[in-house]
Amino acid sequence: MDEQPATPMDASNVVPLRVAGELPLPLGELVEQAFRIAVGLVAISAEALTDAVTQTLGGPGARGGDAEATGDRSATLPLLAGATMGAAVGVARWSARAATTLVRTGEIVFSPITHSGPFRDGMLRVGSELDALDSRWREERLREEAAAESFIRLLVPQVVDAALDQVDVNEIVAERVNVGAIVERVDLDTVVASVDLNAIIERVDVDRVLDRVDLPAIVDRLPLDHVIARIDLDDIVARVDLDAVASRLDVGAVVRRLDLAAIAQEVVDELDLPEIIRESMGSMTTETVGGIRVQSMNADRAISRLVDRVLQRGTPSLEETDDLPEDPT
Amino acid sequence: MQGRRAGIVSRSLADAIDLVVIVGVLVGIYFAVAATRFLLHPRRFTWPEPSGLNLVVLGWVLLFAYLAIGWSNTGRTFGKTVLGLRVVSGAGERHPFLRAMLRSFLCVAFPIGLFWCVVNRRSASIADLLVRSSVVYDWEPRFPAAVP
């Protein structure tokens, strides 16, 4: 059916186009092909109609080998349909040959007329009229096609939506699409290499992501005790150059930031100086009073001895203890 | 020496301290009266000018009460506490309040009777002889309540 390319060199990159106005095929083949297309369309429609009727009757699908294998009565429908199609194809071929013969016969029979001058003039006028109509069509073609495209553009989505409403796409994909095979054929490395991860990362709002992260819950799930147990703190401390750290410390700034007055006040409060002073003064007072008592007692004895000597008493008066009173309770 | 009778030096020092205490109380009373007068009549305030007789009488009354209360309760006044002395009866007990008042009255009315203890063999003053009391050394009281 397709035209052969102009040259073998252009076969790979030249799309054969049918030129308007040319009739490269014989009339008989053209008529036969037209009949074949019509019969094919009728066959497809009839098969789909038969399948639908069979399913509405509750039987198995007319298409496939189940019906043939089981020998079910419903298998007679495809048989009848096939026979009808075969008969139609035969009729089509016969009709094509008949039409071709009729046309050639007509050409021979009407050749005196078709080769006459008036007929040729008439055909030329008809041709010029057809050329004028064709020119008008070519001028109007773009507008008409644009209108048709806009109409189709509006119509197709609605038709597709209506069709998709009747079809379970997920079920179809699950049944007919081998996703595993598709994935195996995909070169993921190439896909990943073509992805600009930096651009994706720049588009990610990290703050929003972090706001949605429950860090306390994550920390609670972490085995921190186990992690800490695995850390060798002695080894870490041994690696630290404490001298260098100490040399970088600004001890003066630390001391300046200390509230020494408050610390001193706190120390004084903790020391309880009044109690210390009270205790020390108490001990001093006790020693002083003890000294006064001893001194006064010695003075008492000295005066007593003096008086006894002056009065020439034999026994010191303060040494008498015979009638000393007992201490009170 | 604990429990032995005290001599004139100890007793005099104790009485001198008591006298200072009474003088301090008198001064305190004087300033209290002055403060009260100032609060009542600030514009007409003048320092109080008590007569010497009033002061002596008031001092005697205070000393009498002070000694009587101290001797009837613990046998000590502040002066005797400092010197480690205690006034006891002939049986070594505390004086009852009336006898303490009598001894206090005798000491306040006739203070020079204290010096009789110098010549008395038992170191007794005139008041001790009349009330049958003694003043003894008692530095460390034996009753637990007084032990620090």
Side-chain angles (χ1 to χ4, degrees):
Chain A
M1 296 289 295
D2 293 338
E3 283 189 353
Q4 295 299 322
T7 59
M9 297 297 291
D10 299 331
S12 60
N13 54 4
V14 175
V15 177
L17 295 176
R18 189 182 302 278
V19 180
E22 293 183 0
L23 293 174
L25 294 178
L27 182 60
E29 292 183 5
L30 187 63
V31 173
E32 182 179 353
Q33 183 64 21
F35 271 102
R36 284 181 180 275
I37 292 172
V39 170
L41 292 174
V42 172
I44 293 172
S45 301
E47 187 173 5
L49 183 62
T50 303
D51 196 3
V53 171
T54 304
Q55 288 186 2
T56 55
L57 293 175
R63 187 181 299 174
D66 290 342
E68 297 174 358
T70 56
D72 197 352
R73 187 175 57 186
S74 60
T76 54
L77 285 176
L79 180 62
L80 291 175
T84 303
M85 292 303 107
V89 170
V91 170
R93 287 180 178 176
W94 180 82
S95 299
R97 283 197 293 271
T100 302
T101 302
L102 183 61
V103 169
R104 287 175 180 174
T105 304
E107 286 178 351
I108 294 169
V109 171
F110 293 104
S111 58
I113 298 173
T114 55
H115 285 83
S116 63
F119 183 81
R120 291 186 174 231
D121 294 339
M123 291 301 293
L124 288 175
R125 283 196 297 272
V126 171
S128 62
E129 290 295 331
L130 291 177
D131 287 338
L133 291 174
D134 181 63
S135 298
R136 184 184 301 172
W137 157 246
R138 290 181 186 278
E139 291 175 358
E140 298 290 335
R141 178 181 178 181
L142 296 176
R143 290 174 55 190
E144 304 299 337
E145 287 181 353
E149 286 180 357
S150 62
F151 174 74
I152 292 172
R153 195 175 297 118
L154 293 174
L155 179 64
V156 167
Q158 296 184 8
V159 173
V160 171
D161 289 339
L164 291 177
D165 289 341
Q166 304 298 323
V167 176
D168 188 356
V169 179
N170 294 325
E171 187 65 25
I172 293 172
V173 171
E175 286 183 355
R176 304 198 175 193
V177 177
N178 188 356
V179 181
I182 295 173
V183 172
E184 286 180 358
R185 294 175 62 183
V186 174
D187 187 357
L188 289 177
D189 292 335
T190 305
V191 174
V192 172
S194 63
V195 175
D196 188 357
L197 285 177
N198 292 325
I200 296 173
I201 292 172
E202 287 178 357
R203 294 172 61 184
V204 174
D205 189 353
V206 180
D207 292 334
R208 287 188 60 190
V209 174
L210 291 178
D211 290 340
R212 296 175 63 182
V213 174
D214 188 1
L215 280 179
I218 296 173
V219 173
D220 290 340
R221 295 173 63 182
L222 290 178
L224 291 179
D225 293 336
H226 182 64
V227 174
I228 292 172
R230 295 180 61 184
I231 297 176
D232 187 357
L233 285 177
D234 293 334
D235 184 52
I236 294 173
V237 173
R239 295 180 182 179
V240 177
D241 186 358
L242 292 177
D243 293 334
V245 175
S247 63
R248 294 171 61 185
L249 288 178
D250 188 357
V251 180
V254 175
V255 172
R256 283 193 293 275
R257 293 179 64 182
L258 290 177
D259 189 357
L260 292 177
I263 296 173
Q265 183 62 41
E266 186 176 354
V267 171
V268 169
D269 293 342
E270 292 294 330
L271 284 178
D272 194 5
L273 280 178
E275 182 62 24
I276 296 174
I277 294 172
R278 198 177 302 118
E279 291 180 356
S280 60
M281 292 297 292
S283 62
M284 289 174 62
T285 303
T286 303
E287 292 178 359
T288 303
V289 169
I292 292 172
R293 287 170 178 173
V294 171
Q295 294 293 331
S296 63
M297 188 175 63
N298 291 333
D300 288 341
R301 297 183 64 185
I303 290 176
S304 176
R305 281 195 294 271
L306 177 62
V307 171
D308 290 340
R309 193 173 303 122
V310 170
L311 297 179
Q312 296 180 348
R313 293 173 181 165
T315 304
S317 58
L318 288 182
E319 301 298 329
E320 293 180 356
T321 58
D322 52 347
D323 58 347
L324 286 176
E326 296 295 331
D327 280 342
T329 59
Chain B
M1 293 296 292
Q2 300 297 308
R4 295 183 184 276
R5 292 185 178 87
I8 182 64
V9 176
S10 299
R11 297 174 65 168
S12 298
L13 287 174
D15 290 341
I17 292 172
D18 288 336
L19 191 61
V20 170
V21 170
I22 293 302
V23 170
V25 171
L26 281 175
V27 172
I29 291 172
Y30 175 81
F31 281 106
V33 171
T36 304
R37 291 180 61 177
F38 177 77
L39 292 175
L40 294 176
H41 306 289
R43 292 185 176 179
R44 292 180 295 157
F45 172 74
T46 56
W47 288 98
E49 296 179 355
S51 65
L53 180 61
N54 291 336
L55 283 178
V56 171
V57 171
L58 180 60
W60 278 359
V61 171
L62 289 174
L63 186 60
F64 165 72
Y66 169 69
L67 294 176
I69 293 171
W71 291 342
S72 62
N73 282 303
T74 61
R76 300 172 185 266
T77 57
F78 180 72
K80 287 182 169 56
T81 301
V82 173
L83 270 299
L85 305 179
R86 185 187 299 276
V87 178
V88 295
S89 65
E93 298 175 350
R94 284 180 303 181
H95 280 293
F97 185 67
L98 290 178
R99 289 184 67 178
M101 286 181 62
L102 178 59
R103 190 176 189 276
S104 176
F105 176 77
L106 292 173
C107 290
V108 172
F110 193 59
I112 197 170
L114 172 66
F115 291 96
W116 185 251
C117 69
V118 176
V119 296
N120 187 268
R121 291 181 64 87
R122 295 181 178 178
S123 191
S125 65
I126 298 298
D128 288 334
L129 293 175
L130 294 176
V131 186
R132 297 182 63 81
S133 62
S134 300
V135 178
V136 298
Y137 298 114
D138 189 10
W139 292 5
E140 297 176 354
R142 298 174 186 175
F143 35 87
V147 175

